[in-house]
Amino acid sequence: MTSMPFETDIAKATTLPSRWYYEPEAAALEKERIFARTWQCVGAMSRVASVGDWFTAEIVGEPIVIVRTAPGDAGLKAFHNVCRHRGGPIAVGDHGSSKMFRCAYHGWIYGLDGALKTTPEFNGVECFDKKDFGLAAIPSVAVFGPFVFVKLEAGGATLDETLGKIPEETKRFPLQRMGFYKRLTWELNCNWKVYVDNYLEGYHIPIVHPGLMRELDYQQYRVEAERWYSKQYAPIRNKETSIYRRNLEAGANAEALYYWVFPNLMLNIYPDNIQINVIVPLGPDRTATVFDWYLVDPDKPEVAADFAKSLAFSEVVQEEDVTICEAVQKGLRSRSYDSGRYSVEREAGVHHFHGLYSELMRDSGDGKK
């Protein structure tokens, strides 16, 4: 596909060409230029609490396994979940705990450190050294709060550089005390960027989300863009009945912070819970949105009843977003549409995303544009 010049002045800029939302060639380039080079949130630290604990994940079709090999952050490792023999999976299932990995295809055995230990019935093979056939390691693994991140390619921004001021700005929230509570996944008939675009602006709230509009002070809604992320600040209307005031400490302000981290992570932070959304491309016009909720003391018996109202409200908002995003995907394929313009007042977050996207899609990683 041709290079993508991008206008940095939002007042003069036009949105991404519509073909980038449905052409297979764009999806193929994104896999290498976007998703392999950016930090991806793959799961919860609680899933690898003890040595030998592991869980599996995928990054745009790339199977990986995260394992704890020793205590502390340095003991957290990630490998491609692919046997070096003929590509079989070395970890099967969602999660587990073991002292080694055994390929489910031909039984090759690897240590938790990725070293190849055993190759059944492999006598007579020439020019073969087990040291050369360990699991392929993923070079970058890091942690923020209760979340594990990986990056498939080495180099580029560290996780600390990517998150910028987010750790400092969220210190007042009890992130370290929050544990995984629930996952819900929706599959949408739209490109992943349609959903991200939608998340990054409050412009549609008065039209699409009447219930959310009653909760938020829309006139004070604002977006602040940083290098690799943006923040949407949404003051809560001063109502004692607001769902965002549940479990609020005396004297504390009710607020919701919405962080988007390039390219596909949303951190929705409320006074007593975190909702994270990972937006997963399934194809040029198919997307999964994975919602995970983290709560303080998620295993307490009273949590389910106490959180039910917030969960139900979130599902209503998501269904509204699904409907509009799928309609937009159809519109992007119309012969009448190629690109549009940005609202200077309301779509700074979308413009910021498109700028980062254009930057990475222009750069092939080998100096070519």
Side-chain angles (χ1 to χ4, degrees):
M1 301 192 75
T2 58
S3 60
M4 300 171 56
F6 184 76
E7 174 57 65
T8 58
D9 184 347
I10 188 173
K12 300 176 182 178
T14 56
T15 60
L16 296 178
S18 59
R19 65 184 182 277
W20 285 85
Y21 288 82
Y22 57 80
E23 289 191 353
E25 188 179 351
L29 283 174
E30 289 170 355
K31 184 175 181 179
E32 298 303 321
R33 298 188 181 184
I34 302 289
F35 290 95
R37 299 176 184 173
T38 54
W39 287 97
Q40 297 291 309
C41 184
V42 293
M45 275 287 287
S46 59
R47 306 183 78 190
V48 281
S50 302
V51 173
D53 289 353
W54 56 265
F55 67 87
T56 58
E58 285 192 8
I59 299 175
V60 195
E62 184 68 40
I64 66 174
V65 58
I66 296 87
V67 60
R68 178 163 296 286
T69 62
D73 289 352
L76 205 59
K77 306 293 183 184
F79 301 97
H80 294 268
N81 188 10
V82 179
C83 180
R84 296 292 303 281
H85 173 217
R86 279 179 45 208
I90 57 97
V92 177
D94 182 65
H95 67 284
S97 186
S98 57
K99 295 181 180 180
M100 63 189 71
F101 292 116
R102 183 175 184 269
C103 176
Y105 197 7
H106 300 100
W108 282 29
I109 295 175
Y110 298 84
L112 297 181
D113 62 355
L116 179 60
K117 301 295 186 182
T118 304
T119 55
E121 301 180 70
F122 226 59
N123 296 326
V125 178
E126 298 182 4
C127 304
F128 175 77
D129 189 331
K130 289 188 180 74
K131 294 193 298 294
D132 298 329
F133 285 83
L135 294 177
I138 292 172
S140 302
V141 184
V143 174
F144 164 60
F147 312 120
V148 179
F149 289 77
V150 302
K151 183 150 60 75
L152 295 180
E153 289 190 7
T158 65
L159 182 61
D160 286 343
E161 291 168 341
T162 300
L163 296 178
K165 295 181 287 188
I166 293 177
E168 179 66 25
E169 292 177 352
T170 58
K171 281 198 309 185
R172 63 187 182 278
F173 297 95
L175 302 190
Q176 297 289 356
R177 293 169 47 215
M178 291 186 181
F180 177 77
Y181 174 66
K182 189 178 184 67
R183 167 171 288 185
L184 291 175
T185 301
W186 282 265
E187 291 192 10
L188 293 73
N189 293 313
C190 72
N191 184 270
W192 69 278
K193 296 187 294 299
V194 169
Y195 192 88
V196 173
D197 288 347
N198 180 73
Y199 177 88
L200 287 172
E201 46 92 350
Y203 196 18
H204 70 286
I205 290 176
I207 309 300
V208 178
H209 301 304
L212 185 60
M213 184 66 177
R214 289 190 292 270
E215 294 284 343
L216 303 180
D217 185 350
Y218 178 73
Q219 296 306 317
Q220 300 301 316
Y221 201 107
R222 66 178 188 270
V223 176
E224 299 173 1
E226 301 291 342
R227 177 65 175 105
W228 294 108
Y229 70 94
S230 62
K231 179 176 70 173
Q232 299 178 70
Y233 177 67
I236 307 302
R237 292 182 187 273
N238 188 22
K239 291 183 178 179
E240 294 302 321
T241 57
S242 172
I243 62 169
Y244 297 123
R245 300 194 68 87
R246 184 174 48 78
N247 297 334
L248 198 63
E249 295 180 2
N253 293 323
E255 62 181 336
L257 296 179
Y258 301 100
Y259 290 98
W260 165 79
V261 182
F262 182 79
N264 62 328
L265 174 65
M266 291 92 172
L267 299 170
N268 308 314
I269 303 178
Y270 305 105
D272 69 338
N273 73 91
I274 303 174
Q275 175 200 110
I276 71 165
N277 312 148
V278 179
I279 313 308
V280 182
L282 301 178
D285 54 6
R286 189 79 175 156
T287 296
T289 62
V290 182
F291 282 49
D292 286 343
W293 280 267
Y294 291 77
L295 311 178
V296 175
D297 300 322
D299 297 324
K300 281 188 175 180
E302 63 271 23
V303 164
D306 188 43
F307 196 64
K309 185 177 179 180
S310 292
L311 191 61
F313 182 78
S314 179
E315 290 188 69
V316 168
V317 173
Q318 173 65 356
E319 292 295 346
E320 292 166 343
D321 281 330
V322 168
T323 299
I324 194 62
C325 286
E326 291 187 339
V328 167
Q329 184 69 30
K330 292 180 180 179
L332 290 170
R333 281 185 171 271
S334 169
R335 66 177 64 192
S336 70
Y337 184 87
D338 179 59
S339 63
R341 300 294 300 274
Y342 300 97
S343 164
V344 175
E345 296 180 25
R346 294 292 182 182
E347 294 180 296
V350 182
H351 178 256
H352 176 237
F353 167 42
H354 290 179
L356 291 173
Y357 177 86
S358 299
E359 176 185 338
L360 267 70
M361 288 292 278
R362 284 196 303 269
D363 183 5
S364 66
D366 57 6
K368 298 178 182 179
K369 297 287 186 176

